Amino acid sequence: MKTIIRGGTLISASDECKADILIDDEKIVRIGINLSTKGIDQIVDAHEKLILPGGIDVHTHFDLPMFNTVSSDDHYTGHKAAAFGGTTTVLDFVPQTGNDLKNDISDWLKKSEPKAAIDYGFHMNISIFNSEVAEQIPSLIDIGVTSLKVFTAYNSTLRLQDADIFKVMRIAKKHGFLTMLHAENGDIIEILVQEALAAGYTAPEWHAHTRPAWGAVEAVSRGISLSAHTDAPLYIVHMNAGGEVDQLAYGRDLGIPVMGETCPQYLFFTVENLKQADGAKWICSPPMRFDEDNERLWQGIMNGTIQVLGTDHCPFFFDGTQPILYEGKEVMIPGKELGKDDFTKIPNGLPGVGDRLPIFWTEGVVKGRITPHQFVALTSTNPAKIFGLYPQKGVIQPGSDADLVIWDPNLKLTYGREWSHQRTDYNLYEGWELEGFPVKVFLRGNCLVDGRKWLGKAGNGKFMRRKPFNRVI
Ligand code: DUC
Ligand code: ZN
Ligand code: ZN
């Protein structure tokens, strides 16, 4: 099947040009002016539109068991929501259940494979570390799982001690993994949570008060020092505090191989949202901070200290006792109501995989904070480079997968659940006025989204065996 996308303006991380794109099967084969239509099966008009490389969200949690429930998007519904928002590749985290990492990955693959509607890959959580695990880690490179996530918080479940993080990073450096860090101070959180509960503070805002920003800043600094000690690359996930940006800038200035990601929720919301009657909707870890933190994260994005915009998509229903309609069927999954009397029982996480690109375009590009090129770099090209997918993904050039988003920069709409397709009963951006939206989305040359029509299919997404970590950007 040969397709020409005609007359759009191609946007890359550094450039733009008006051109046609010839797609043969799954790949881009040529880019040029007035390409011949001889032997072409399909012509797609893209005049007055922009063409962006498919978005890559490197931080999702689909079908993740948590607090006696499960995140409400699975590997089909989450992929569909991603595609409607212009994202064509996602990287999901595999929880570690014991010493057999390959078994955990194979179980996660069994869940994802039949459901996947876009391309996807995995990161491996390392939350139990011992000699057996240490011995097994290197073999993950061969199956294309080339990044490891470690935690300095969640003391009794996910946390590794610094010594073990240090050992993981040494292995990572030797074998070509990228280590990803969830940076909060687990010890301080434990104490503050106990004190808050003992004092009868059970409302959602206490989730934020008990996970202080200085703990996150200190943990980022600790991670950077471990990176310096091991010379192993480190990627800080979900950066949320202004002080973290300072630490990252300091480390990068010294030439320590560190990079960072933030997520839209940390750019727009604060602890004030958690104080609202529906504050549980904003509960995620790390928590929202203050206006000043939002602003300093924007600064980090604008000046290049932060390389990636992810989402940490991990949605739950706000009221999981009421069904919603999804593809014509009623769906009801226990959610945030589980913690109505105790903030520590509210499942941590929020929706965002479909919201990321449209919200960031309006708030970033339309409002003049970033250029369209920075937008592409942060949402597609940098993620592809950092996570071993480049140049198959993250760029529009001959030889690359034809993962393309036709973006209408003039489309104005009032955003919300109706547009986002995430399988939950709320959207954090309900009622936001947007300018610019995806109108057609292609995955390897196949149109998944055409206007408001879904053409994708469960099982059509491919598992991406990613390359070892290459270089710090
Ligand atoms: N934070 C969340 O809020 N949810 C899932 C995992 C995480 O780190
Ligand atoms: Zn995390
Ligand atoms: Zn996460």
Side-chain angles (χ1 to χ4, degrees), residues 412-445:
K412 292 187 180 167
L413 54 94
T414 307
Y415 193 63
R417 253 186 86 194
E418 190 211 337
W419 287 91
S420 73
H421 297 273
Q422 293 157 167
R423 192 170 64 173
T424 180
D425 58 352
Y426 72 99
N427 186 288
L428 293 175
Y429 309 93
E430 198 68 50
W432 285 36
E433 299 299 332
L434 301 190
E435 186 176 334
F437 207 75
V439 288
K440 281 187 202 292
V441 179
F442 293 84
L443 172 73
R444 288 181 276 105

Side-chain angles (χ1 to χ4, degrees), residues 59 61 149 151 154 182 237-238 285-286 312:
H59 196 147
H61 301 280
K149 184 180 180 191
F151 301 78
Y154 301 109
H182 177 121
V237 295
H238 45 49
S285 294
D312 204 0

